[in-house]
CSV table of all heavy atoms in Angstrom, one decimal:
chain,number,residue,atom,x,y,z
D,144,THR,N,-6.9,96.0,-25.6
D,144,THR,CA,-7.1,97.1,-26.5
D,144,THR,C,-8.5,97.7,-26.2
D,144,THR,O,-8.7,98.9,-26.2
D,144,THR,CB,-7.1,96.7,-28.0
D,144,THR,OG1,-5.8,96.1,-28.3
D,144,THR,CG2,-7.4,97.8,-28.9
D,145,ILE,N,-9.5,96.8,-26.0
D,145,ILE,CA,-10.9,97.3,-25.7
D,145,ILE,C,-10.9,98.0,-24.4
D,145,ILE,O,-11.5,99.1,-24.3
D,145,ILE,CB,-11.8,96.1,-25.7
D,145,ILE,CG1,-12.0,95.5,-27.1
D,145,ILE,CG2,-13.2,96.5,-25.1
D,145,ILE,CD1,-12.7,94.1,-27.1
D,146,ALA,N,-10.2,97.5,-23.4
D,146,ALA,CA,-10.2,98.2,-22.1
D,146,ALA,C,-9.5,99.5,-22.2
D,146,ALA,O,-9.9,100.5,-21.6
D,146,ALA,CB,-9.4,97.3,-21.1
D,147,ALA,N,-8.4,99.6,-22.9
D,147,ALA,CA,-7.7,100.9,-23.1
D,147,ALA,C,-8.5,101.9,-23.8
D,147,ALA,O,-8.5,103.1,-23.4
D,147,ALA,CB,-6.4,100.7,-23.9
D,148,ALA,N,-9.3,101.5,-24.8
D,148,ALA,CA,-10.1,102.4,-25.5
D,148,ALA,C,-11.2,103.0,-24.6
D,148,ALA,O,-11.5,104.2,-24.6
D,148,ALA,CB,-10.7,101.7,-26.7
D,149,CYS,N,-11.9,102.1,-23.9
D,149,CYS,CA,-12.9,102.5,-23.0
D,149,CYS,C,-12.4,103.5,-21.9
D,149,CYS,O,-13.0,104.4,-21.5
D,149,CYS,CB,-13.6,101.3,-22.3
D,149,CYS,SG,-14.6,100.4,-23.5
D,150,ALA,N,-11.2,103.2,-21.4
D,150,ALA,CA,-10.6,104.1,-20.4
D,150,ALA,C,-10.3,105.4,-21.0
D,150,ALA,O,-10.5,106.5,-20.3
D,150,ALA,CB,-9.3,103.4,-19.9
D,151,ARG,N,-9.9,105.5,-22.2
D,151,ARG,CA,-9.6,106.8,-22.9
D,151,ARG,C,-10.9,107.6,-23.0
D,151,ARG,O,-10.9,108.8,-22.9
D,151,ARG,CB,-9.0,106.6,-24.2
D,151,ARG,CG,-8.5,107.8,-24.9
D,151,ARG,CD,-7.8,107.6,-26.2
D,151,ARG,NE,-7.5,108.8,-26.9
D,151,ARG,CZ,-6.9,108.8,-28.1
D,151,ARG,NH1,-6.6,107.7,-28.7
D,151,ARG,NH2,-6.7,110.0,-28.7
D,152,LEU,N,-12.0,106.9,-23.3
D,152,LEU,CA,-13.3,107.6,-23.5
D,152,LEU,C,-13.9,108.1,-22.2
D,152,LEU,O,-14.6,109.1,-22.2
D,152,LEU,CB,-14.3,106.6,-24.2
D,152,LEU,CG,-14.0,106.3,-25.6
D,152,LEU,CD1,-15.0,105.2,-26.1
D,152,LEU,CD2,-14.1,107.5,-26.5
D,153,THR,N,-13.6,107.4,-21.1
D,153,THR,CA,-14.3,107.7,-19.8
D,153,THR,C,-13.4,108.3,-18.7
D,153,THR,O,-13.9,108.9,-17.8
D,153,THR,CB,-14.9,106.5,-19.3
D,153,THR,OG1,-13.9,105.5,-19.0
D,153,THR,CG2,-16.0,105.9,-20.2
D,154,SER,N,-12.1,108.2,-18.9
D,154,SER,CA,-11.2,108.6,-17.8
D,154,SER,C,-11.3,110.2,-17.6
D,154,SER,O,-11.2,110.9,-18.6
D,154,SER,CB,-9.8,108.2,-18.1
D,154,SER,OG,-8.9,108.8,-17.1
D,155,PRO,N,-11.3,110.6,-16.3
D,155,PRO,CA,-11.3,112.1,-16.1
D,155,PRO,C,-9.9,112.6,-16.1
D,155,PRO,O,-9.7,113.8,-15.9
D,155,PRO,CB,-11.9,112.2,-14.7
D,155,PRO,CG,-11.6,110.9,-14.0
D,155,PRO,CD,-11.6,109.8,-15.1
D,156,GLN,N,-8.9,111.7,-16.2
D,156,GLN,CA,-7.5,112.2,-16.2
D,156,GLN,C,-7.2,113.0,-17.5
D,156,GLN,O,-7.9,112.9,-18.5
D,156,GLN,CB,-6.5,111.0,-16.1
D,156,GLN,CG,-6.8,110.1,-14.8
D,156,GLN,CD,-6.7,110.9,-13.6
D,156,GLN,OE1,-5.8,111.8,-13.4
D,156,GLN,NE2,-7.6,110.7,-12.6
D,157,LYS,N,-6.0,113.7,-17.5
D,157,LYS,CA,-5.6,114.5,-18.6
D,157,LYS,C,-5.5,113.7,-19.9
D,157,LYS,O,-5.8,114.3,-21.0
D,157,LYS,CB,-4.3,115.2,-18.3
D,157,LYS,CG,-4.0,116.3,-19.2
D,157,LYS,CD,-2.7,117.1,-18.8
D,157,LYS,CE,-2.4,118.2,-19.7
D,157,LYS,NZ,-1.2,119.0,-19.3
D,158,THR,N,-5.1,112.5,-19.8
D,158,THR,CA,-5.0,111.6,-21.0
D,158,THR,C,-6.3,111.1,-21.5
D,158,THR,O,-6.3,110.4,-22.6
D,158,THR,CB,-4.0,110.5,-20.7
D,158,THR,OG1,-4.5,109.7,-19.6
D,158,THR,CG2,-2.6,111.0,-20.4
D,159,GLY,N,-7.4,111.3,-20.8
D,159,GLY,CA,-8.7,110.7,-21.2
D,159,GLY,C,-9.6,111.8,-21.6
D,159,GLY,O,-9.3,113.0,-21.5
D,160,MET,N,-10.8,111.4,-22.1
D,160,MET,CA,-11.8,112.3,-22.6
D,160,MET,C,-13.0,112.4,-21.7
D,160,MET,O,-13.9,113.2,-21.9
D,160,MET,CB,-12.3,111.8,-24.0
D,160,MET,CG,-11.2,111.7,-25.1
D,160,MET,SD,-11.8,110.8,-26.6
D,160,MET,CE,-12.8,112.1,-27.2
D,161,GLY,N,-13.0,111.6,-20.6
D,161,GLY,CA,-14.1,111.5,-19.8
D,161,GLY,C,-14.5,112.8,-19.0
D,161,GLY,O,-15.7,113.0,-18.7
D,162,GLY,N,-13.5,113.6,-18.7
D,162,GLY,CA,-13.8,114.8,-17.9
D,162,GLY,C,-13.8,116.0,-18.7
D,162,GLY,O,-14.7,116.9,-18.5
D,163,LEU,N,-12.9,116.2,-19.7
D,163,LEU,CA,-12.9,117.4,-20.5
D,163,LEU,C,-14.1,117.5,-21.4
D,163,LEU,O,-14.7,118.6,-21.6
D,163,LEU,CB,-11.6,117.4,-21.3
D,163,LEU,CG,-11.5,118.6,-22.3
D,163,LEU,CD1,-11.5,120.0,-21.5
D,163,LEU,CD2,-10.2,118.5,-23.1
D,164,PHE,N,-14.5,116.3,-22.0
D,164,PHE,CA,-15.7,116.3,-22.9
D,164,PHE,C,-17.0,116.3,-22.1
D,164,PHE,O,-17.1,115.6,-21.0
D,164,PHE,CB,-15.6,115.1,-23.8
D,164,PHE,CG,-14.7,115.3,-25.0
D,164,PHE,CD1,-13.3,115.3,-24.8
D,164,PHE,CD2,-15.2,115.4,-26.2
D,164,PHE,CE1,-12.5,115.5,-25.8
D,164,PHE,CE2,-14.3,115.6,-27.3
D,164,PHE,CZ,-13.0,115.7,-27.1
D,165,ARG,N,-18.0,117.0,-22.6
D,165,ARG,CA,-19.3,117.1,-21.9
D,165,ARG,C,-20.4,116.8,-22.9
D,165,ARG,O,-20.2,116.9,-24.1
D,165,ARG,CB,-19.4,118.5,-21.2
D,165,ARG,CG,-18.4,118.8,-20.2
D,165,ARG,CD,-18.5,120.2,-19.6
D,165,ARG,NE,-17.3,120.5,-18.8
D,165,ARG,CZ,-17.2,120.1,-17.5
D,165,ARG,NH1,-18.2,119.5,-16.9
D,165,ARG,NH2,-16.1,120.4,-16.8
D,166,VAL,N,-21.6,116.5,-22.3
D,166,VAL,CA,-22.7,116.1,-23.1
D,166,VAL,C,-23.9,117.0,-22.6
D,166,VAL,O,-24.2,117.1,-21.4
D,166,VAL,CB,-23.0,114.6,-22.9
D,166,VAL,CG1,-24.2,114.2,-23.9
D,166,VAL,CG2,-21.8,113.8,-23.2
D,167,ILE,N,-24.6,117.5,-23.6
D,167,ILE,CA,-25.9,118.3,-23.3
D,167,ILE,C,-26.9,117.9,-24.3
D,167,ILE,O,-26.6,117.6,-25.4
D,167,ILE,CB,-25.6,119.8,-23.4
D,167,ILE,CG1,-26.7,120.6,-22.7
D,167,ILE,CG2,-25.3,120.3,-24.8
D,167,ILE,CD1,-26.3,122.1,-22.5
D,168,GLY,N,-28.2,117.9,-23.8
D,168,GLY,CA,-29.3,117.6,-24.7
D,168,GLY,C,-30.3,118.7,-24.7
D,168,GLY,O,-30.6,119.4,-23.7
D,169,PHE,N,-30.9,118.9,-25.9
D,169,PHE,CA,-32.0,119.8,-26.1
D,169,PHE,C,-33.2,119.0,-26.6
D,169,PHE,O,-33.1,118.0,-27.3
D,169,PHE,CB,-31.7,120.8,-27.2
D,169,PHE,CG,-30.4,121.5,-27.0
D,169,PHE,CD1,-29.6,121.9,-28.1
D,169,PHE,CD2,-29.9,121.9,-25.8
D,169,PHE,CE1,-28.4,122.5,-28.0
D,169,PHE,CE2,-28.7,122.6,-25.6
D,169,PHE,CZ,-28.0,122.9,-26.7
D,170,ALA,N,-34.4,119.4,-26.2
D,170,ALA,CA,-35.6,118.6,-26.6
D,170,ALA,C,-36.9,119.4,-26.5
D,170,ALA,O,-36.9,120.5,-26.0
D,170,ALA,CB,-35.7,117.4,-25.7
D,171,ALA,N,-37.9,118.9,-27.1
D,171,ALA,CA,-39.2,119.5,-27.0
D,171,ALA,C,-39.6,119.5,-25.5
D,171,ALA,O,-39.4,118.5,-24.8
D,171,ALA,CB,-40.2,118.7,-27.8
D,172,PRO,N,-40.2,120.6,-25.0
D,172,PRO,CA,-40.5,120.6,-23.6
D,172,PRO,C,-41.4,119.5,-23.1
D,172,PRO,O,-41.3,119.1,-21.9
D,172,PRO,CB,-41.2,122.0,-23.5
D,172,PRO,CG,-40.7,122.8,-24.6
D,172,PRO,CD,-40.5,121.8,-25.7
D,173,SER,N,-42.3,119.0,-24.0
D,173,SER,CA,-43.2,117.9,-23.6
D,173,SER,C,-42.5,116.5,-23.5
D,173,SER,O,-43.1,115.6,-23.0
D,173,SER,CB,-44.3,117.8,-24.6
D,173,SER,OG,-43.8,117.5,-25.9
D,174,LEU,N,-41.3,116.4,-23.9
D,174,LEU,CA,-40.6,115.1,-24.0
D,174,LEU,C,-40.2,114.5,-22.7
D,174,LEU,O,-40.2,113.3,-22.5
D,174,LEU,CB,-39.4,115.2,-25.0
D,174,LEU,CG,-38.9,113.9,-25.6
D,174,LEU,CD1,-40.1,113.3,-26.4
D,174,LEU,CD2,-37.8,114.2,-26.5
D,175,GLY,N,-39.9,115.4,-21.7
D,175,GLY,CA,-39.4,114.9,-20.4
D,175,GLY,C,-37.9,114.7,-20.5
D,175,GLY,O,-37.2,114.9,-21.5
D,176,PRO,N,-37.3,114.2,-19.4
D,176,PRO,CA,-35.8,114.1,-19.3
D,176,PRO,C,-35.3,113.1,-20.3
D,176,PRO,O,-35.9,112.0,-20.6
D,176,PRO,CB,-35.6,113.5,-17.9
D,176,PRO,CG,-36.9,113.9,-17.1
D,176,PRO,CD,-38.0,113.8,-18.1
């Protein structure tokens, strides 16, 4: 169950969320990466 859940969160395949979902960050310019 744990392995299947992680695969769903990270897989780039159509059945997964890993490719369609994206992540972006905003920050104070002084903060760095």
Side-chain angles (χ1 to χ4, degrees):
T144 301
I145 294 168
C149 289
R151 186 174 175 187
L152 291 173
T153 60
S154 172
Q156 303 303 317
K157 191 174 182 179
T158 55
M160 303 170 69
L163 177 60
F164 280 70
R165 300 177 188 276
V166 185
I167 193 169
F169 310 142
S173 60
L174 202 57

